[in-house]
Amino acid sequence: MKELIYELKTLFFRRKAFCAAVFLSFLVFLVTSLIDEGLYLPDINGQGKDTGKTLQGRILSINPMEYGYSLEIKVFNEGRKALIYVSGSKEVESSNGSYLTLEDLGKECEISLKEGLEYPTSATNPRSFDYKKYLFGKGITYVGYGGRLNWISQDRPLIYIIKTEILKTREFFLNACFTRDESKALAKGILFGDTEDIAEDTYKVFRENGTAHILAVSGLHIGIIYQSYEAVRARIGRKRRWIKGLFTVIFILFLLLYGTATLWSPSVTRAIFLVYLKILGDKLDRRYDILSAVSVINLIMVLMRPYYIYSVSFQLSFLSAYGISVIIPRLRGRIPNALCLPLGLQFFLLPYMIREFNYFNISSVVINIIIVYLVSIYVPIGIIIYLVTVILMYAGGLDIIHSLGFIELLGTPISSLGMLINKLEEWFDIYGSMGITLTSPGLFTVVLLMLLVLFIFSETFLVLMERKNLKGIGLVLILIILTAGFFGISDRSPFDEASQIFIDVGQGDSLHLSWDENRDILIDGGGRKDFSVGEKVLKPYLLRNGTGDLDLAITTHHHMDHYKGIEELNLCYPIKKILEQGIKGDIIRLSKDRYIKVLWPLKENINSNDENYFSRVFMVYDKGIRTLVTGDITEEGEKALIKEYKNTDELKCHILKVAHHGSRFSSCEDFLEITEPQVAVISVGRRNNYGHPSPEVIEKINDLGIIIYRTDLDGAVGIIVGHREFQVVTQLTKKRDYYQRG
């Protein structure tokens, strides 16, 4: 036992940076996952949400959006950063009649807020994208919705003037060297990690081919730049040491410039500081250990900003670095060098990639070898052209240079190479794709597999095997299982027990019935005019919660906010059957005590203009718990239902899905009294333009003692059916309420 403890102490002190980085990341993840992070945030002026007021601060970033701008502002009186959404025209006018430009970075301003500052919204559906943690990872604590800007001071600190100039060189380079929008967008992605201008279909092709990482500046790009630096430095010769030193200083300054041009994403930060540590190690004649260097940077970044660990860019960056430092050395000499990096990383990151992206392309290893090779040519050429254009920009005489067509000629090599990359990506997507969509494995499985791979490929495992120290191997395996177990606990959700889940789809309805034997049914799917709810909300929700296909999708009627989401989902996700019709008496039976009964309409009314009146009404029977799904039925429809089922208990329910998102034209008092629900669920979008839910409806429901749950306030609402009771759980407000069967 003493020998075993000694071995573990030796392991820790040899890899103390790595162990400390893993432990700290694990601790931060565990604490923030199990405890509501909102408890640690100060209230805004003593409240969870401030009232509308004028805010003063300094502009840190400006991002044009479709209907205005998002401004990142350092709030003076709070000392924290806020993301302010300014709606309006594409160019938001300030008080002096000018428009927001790069030159406004760093200026002090005041902005009138419509509703004041508030904390960003967490994930509204289980295991879905968490906007709150995403913004926290960027150091942004508040969000706000604003109006007109007024400048307090035009003076800007030197650092913002420098940043503005660097970003202007980037824009000048892109505008001057590229005549085609596609080439410009690709260059912006590959060289600067900004994918905003890349067409959604194009980005989807890269993602499905497993090569989207080339569109986010990462260790690959910085590694290519560093190798180019090393190649040039090696040619200088030993006798010209001062030239080598000067070249190194210039390279260090260039990396600072390049990091600013890429806006210092986590992957760029990690990669650049790894290079700095390598240069420092060479200067001090100290051995450079990549695993220790990566771990030190990991520690510093997590200590500075704990919520970095929720950034996919941060996770991928450091997981890739750990995989490269541990796995790749063991593969060299055993498989061809060209396959070491793509095959090793693919093998190591596979569980993570499936969990995060629900997609795996078997041919991505081959695709990556070809595309990464082309990118290794594209990046250094692109950087050289970028530097040349920067020099020309500040050297003057641009009119003469433009007239000669010199700058456009400079962009020709990477423009042509970019077109080749695009064509190859499209070709692979059509002819070589072997992609499959998969449900997300549990976090326990992902962590267990990745830690096992790291351990098996590590030096420690080899040493323990050579010494035949089975106790040591066993103890490490126990530690790995315990660590994975803790991650698994943090990944658990009360919605895992729910058999009915009212999904938050914004302004729309969607009910997921997750019943025994992997039988899954969706009643309505939401839908918006300019947003694919099916692909971007329903599909990720279903896949990340273990639902690989739907047995049935049912619609109440054909209005966009009920049907469009199912239509979109059907294009990208397997649905065995879609049911768009049904009349009184129809039954969809899954088992003896779980079935759906159609209560309305009495007959099909295909030619009717009043979709809401004839909206299908379902009673969901779930082991004795009755849920009444009313679609958008109107008050007239409710009264017709009352008349049709007079002197029966057919309309009585435990849970009522309130009709038409709480509109004042539905939910009449007679209908609420006849149905006698204990719980009412209102599916409604935040800040919707319809005034839903109506205060009148809320008052009527409250007067009858019915407990209300709203997807705009509570997020997804889940129903857990017990033997003598049922529970209601909510995603945002973390409620878990118990109700006796009525």
Side-chain angles (χ1 to χ4, degrees), residues 328-351:
I328 305 306
R330 299 288 168 267
L331 294 179
R332 288 201 178 103
R334 293 177 172 83
I335 62 175
N337 287 337
L339 290 175
C340 282
L341 186 60
L343 197 59
L345 277 184
Q346 185 91 3
F347 174 67
F348 174 59
L349 293 175
L350 183 60

Side-chain angles (χ1 to χ4, degrees), residues 497-501 511-516 591-597 619-627 654-655 718-723 725-726 741:
E497 308 169 54
S499 57
Q500 303 177 42
I501 301 168
L511 172 60
H512 175 209
L513 303 177
S514 180
W515 285 348
D516 294 336
S591 65
K592 181 180 179 181
D593 53 3
R594 278 180 163 160
Y595 57 96
I596 302 168
K597 188 174 182 180
M619 184 69 78
V620 176
Y621 293 83
D622 188 0
K623 292 187 175 180
I625 297 299
R626 295 154 62 106
T627 300
H654 300 90
I655 301 149
I719 310 298
I720 302 172
V721 177
H723 292 294
E725 79 289 322
F726 66 93
R741 293 174 184 251

Side-chain angles (χ1 to χ4, degrees), residues 113 130 164 229 251 311 324 337 350 388 409 427 436 468 527 530-531 575 699 720 726 729 741:
L113 298 178
D130 197 314
T164 299
Y229 154 78
F251 180 67
S311 163
I324 289 170
N337 287 337
L350 183 60
V388 170
L409 187 62
W427 186 86
I436 51 175
K468 298 182 180 179
D530 300 317
F531 181 82
I575 302 176
E699 185 179 355
I720 302 172
F726 66 93
V729 295
R741 293 174 184 251

Side-chain angles (χ1 to χ4, degrees), residues 17-19 21 274 290-300 318 322:
F18 172 71
C19 294
L274 272 180
I290 186 171
L291 185 60
S292 298
V294 169
S295 301
V296 167
I297 296 169
N298 186 344
L299 271 171
I300 293 170
F318 281 94
Y322 288 136

Side-chain angles (χ1 to χ4, degrees), residues 397-410:
L398 288 179
D399 292 336
I400 298 174
I401 295 169
H402 270 301
S403 65
L404 296 174
F406 179 62
I407 292 183
E408 291 84 350
L409 187 62
L410 272 178

